[in-house]
Amino acid sequence: GYMFAVNAGFDKGEFFHRRFTGVIPGATYNFSAWIIDLTASAPTNPNVSFTVYDHNTQLPLGTYNTGELTSTVEPDSWQQYGFSFVATASDIDLVIGNNGLGGNGNDLAIDDISFAMIPPTIPITTVADSGCGTSGSITITSPLGASYEYTLDTTVVNSWQSSPVFNNLNAATYTVFARFVGTVGCIAS
């Protein structure tokens, strides 16, 4: 397959920049890549930074630094680096950059750059019933907020609701599902 080979410059700076729109504020995302030092025997080792910026304000939403990459783990082996962050804006910029000073090494390869939403946390509920033969309710206590919606049946179209309370339930076994508003397939139950 292909990989992105970087002959990092003498100065610090970015070598990968990608904008994403339609990101869900409040959702947790993972930003990572696989990296290998291409000049492991050289005296200067790569040092890579991952940063996520709010596109409109250019304020950082999160950052991760690999530190100096050395071949002490296993020479010539790929390692995955990255971090998770909570989005606070719908338009973000993902940036991978050079933290180290170039010259006599500092060459690396990047593969499988990944940006993915992490499913919401598993719903925590409380159950209330009025007694035998009467209806009860389920109240979701976590996760809560305007970024989430809930259902008891994912097979019913338009069954998702913003309220974390399900009333007038008959005695039965229920599975509670949570997802970020408007998403498909990223569900916790």
Side-chain angles (χ1 to χ4, degrees), residues 54-76:
D54 177 318
H55 170 67
N56 295 316
T57 65
Q58 286 303 297
L59 293 173
L61 302 179
T63 189
Y64 171 79
N65 295 309
T66 63
E68 195 170 301
L69 302 179
T70 62
S71 299
T72 57
V73 176
E74 185 177 326
D76 302 323

Side-chain angles (χ1 to χ4, degrees), residues 45-109:
N45 296 315
N47 186 333
V48 179
S49 67
F50 293 76
T51 308
V52 179
Y53 294 97
D54 177 318
H55 170 67
N56 295 316
T57 65
Q58 286 303 297
L59 293 173
L61 302 179
T63 189
Y64 171 79
N65 295 309
T66 63
E68 195 170 301
L69 302 179
T70 62
S71 299
T72 57
V73 176
E74 185 177 326
D76 302 323
S77 68
W78 289 88
Q79 298 292 318
Q80 186 177 32
Y81 299 93
F83 71 108
S84 297
F85 68 96
V86 175
T88 58
S90 60
D91 297 340
I92 63 170
D93 294 323
L94 303 181
V95 177
I96 302 176
N98 174 32
N99 260 353
L101 299 176
N104 201 11
N106 199 21
D107 303 320
L108 59 128

